[in-house]
Amino acid sequence: MRLILERLSKQFKNKIAVEQVSVALTEGIYGFLGANGAGKTTLIQMVCGIVEPTAGEVKLDGKNTVSMGEDFRDLLGYLPQEFGYTPGFTAKDFLLYISSIKGLEPKFAKKKTEELLRLVNLEEETNHKIRTFSGGMKRRLGIAQALLNDPKILILDEPTAGLDPKERVYFRNLISGMSKDKIIIISTHIVSDIEYISDRILVMKKGRFILDGPAEELVAEVDGMVWGCAVPQKEWPGFEQAHCIANAHNRGNMVEARVISGQCPYKGAKKLEPVLEDLYLQCFYEEKG
């Protein structure tokens, strides 16, 4: 299976949301990583057929996905960033309702609903109304509905919104175990969601992919550029303004900082081992002033 995004572009009036994006995807997990407003949601909505491209096309094994129609939608599972639900439904009723919309056989739908509620740890909430659910529980229900038709292409937009740290770990393990025969796209601005489970990470900025590769290769881009240093409190405001700061911690009259810089940022600074978040911050750091 080969999903190709071919010179995809989308313009809304005077704003170009996605510009000339081309990429080929086969089975595996792909992290679309970028800040809010980078164009990720518009891009995946074009892949899903929700938004019509201004230019370009999406192909699956050489066939245009729009012309494939229902045949393509049958292969697709999608969790949107804004996941809608009917508060009066129970978890079970909601999944059965979505199953009917997707045209699934009732017997299969019932079995799949039970299986998926177990999978996303909502088995005990089967007959509870969705309006009583926490944000994380609703998100897990959203993941379940995306899996109802056993999709070969699974697209998740900001899937861990509302999940606590334990749920995030469970989600990552869940997705990692599904990747054998699927194309999985995870669109997020949260580095930890994709750092360890993605086969490839594609960093998006201003409607374009600016970096593409396995996490370890991308991290090498900032090798030698990550520093640890201690800066006096009285110098900190000016220092913070002038540098890309990954994190900082106050210790008495000093601030201990992790800094991404092409040169030594402060006397006595020591080089640190880079991580993917350092690359992300460096990509989206804008000079101030």
Side-chain angles (χ1 to χ4, degrees):
M1 188 166 52
R2 186 175 175 85
L3 183 68
I4 295 177
L5 284 55
E6 194 170 276
R7 299 188 300 278
L8 276 184
S9 297
K10 183 63 181 179
Q11 183 167 347
F12 297 101
K13 295 184 179 179
N14 296 325
K15 177 179 172 58
I16 298 175
V18 176
E19 185 175 9
Q20 294 283 311
V21 167
S22 295
V23 67
L25 311 175
T26 55
E27 284 88 348
I29 301 176
Y30 299 86
F32 286 9
L33 179 63
N36 292 329
K40 305 185 306 298
T41 293
T42 300
L43 178 62
I44 62 176
Q45 286 178 340
M46 287 192 286
V47 175
C48 292
I50 298 166
V51 169
E52 184 179 351
T54 304
E57 61 181 330
V58 181
K59 295 178 179 179
L60 181 65
D61 293 334
K63 298 178 182 177
N64 181 284
T65 55
V66 174
S67 64
M68 287 177 68
E70 199 68 34
D71 289 340
F72 178 67
R73 288 189 289 275
D74 286 346
L75 299 172
L76 185 66
Y78 174 48
L79 173 64
Q81 187 172 4
E82 299 296 332
F83 168 56
Y85 61 93
T86 305
F89 274 161
T90 64
K92 178 182 177 181
D93 288 343
F94 176 73
L95 292 184
L96 290 174
Y97 169 68
I98 297 297
S99 296
S100 68
I101 291 175
K102 292 188 176 186
L104 304 181
E105 290 290 332
K107 187 176 180 180
F108 173 84
K110 185 175 183 294
K111 181 180 178 182
K112 197 69 176 177
T113 290
E114 293 171 354
E115 174 189 319
L116 288 172
L117 287 172
R118 282 195 301 274
L119 187 68
V120 300
N121 280 346
L122 288 176
E123 188 176 16
E124 294 183 4
E125 311 296 332
T126 296
N127 296 311
H128 291 174
K129 297 289 180 69
I130 301 174
R131 63 168 168 257
T132 67
F133 286 10
S134 67
M137 290 163 69
K138 291 172 186 172
R139 207 65 186 158
R140 281 185 273 147
L141 185 63
I143 292 169
Q145 66 81 30
L147 295 169
L148 276 167
N149 57 328
D150 193 19
K152 295 299 182 184
I153 301 170
L154 179 62
I155 300 180
L156 308 170
D157 193 3
E158 300 289 353
T160 64
L163 300 188
D164 63 31
K166 183 179 178 181
E167 289 175 319
R168 285 176 186 273
V169 172
Y170 181 81
F171 160 77
R172 290 197 293 268
N173 293 338
L174 177 67
I175 297 303
S176 182
M178 293 180 183
S179 62
K180 187 177 180 181
D181 61 346
K182 298 182 192 298
I183 294 173
I184 301 177
I185 297 172
I186 304 171
S187 171
T188 185
H189 66 282
I190 301 170
V191 173
S192 61
D193 282 354
I194 58 172
E195 183 169 11
Y196 300 111
I197 66 170
S198 294
D199 298 298
R200 274 169 66 191
I201 294 172
L202 298 95
V203 180
M204 195 169 196
K205 183 176 183 180
K206 295 180 180 178
R208 289 176 172 268
F209 286 135
I210 59 171
L211 291 170
D212 176 2
E216 59 272 17
E217 287 185 13
L218 297 188
V219 169
E221 297 268 340
V222 287
D223 192 25
M225 295 175 61
V226 184
W227 305 80
C229 60
V231 180
Q233 285 277 6
K234 61 182 180 181
E235 296 181 32
W236 178 250
F239 183 85
E240 183 182 25
Q241 188 76 10
H243 294 86
C244 179
I245 309 296
N247 55 57
H249 184 69
N250 290 309
R251 290 193 181 277
N253 63 351
M254 304 292 286
V255 179
E256 292 185 356
R258 184 182 182 95
V259 184
I260 298 97
S261 175
Q263 56 189 12
C264 181
Y266 198 81
K267 58 182 181 292
K270 295 182 180 179
K271 288 185 178 179
L272 303 176
E273 194 72 24
V275 295
L276 188 62
E277 187 175 64
D278 297 320
L279 172 72
Y280 178 81
L281 292 171
Q282 193 266 341
C283 284
F284 290 93
Y285 174 69
E286 299 290 343
E287 290 293 335
K288 303 171 185 176

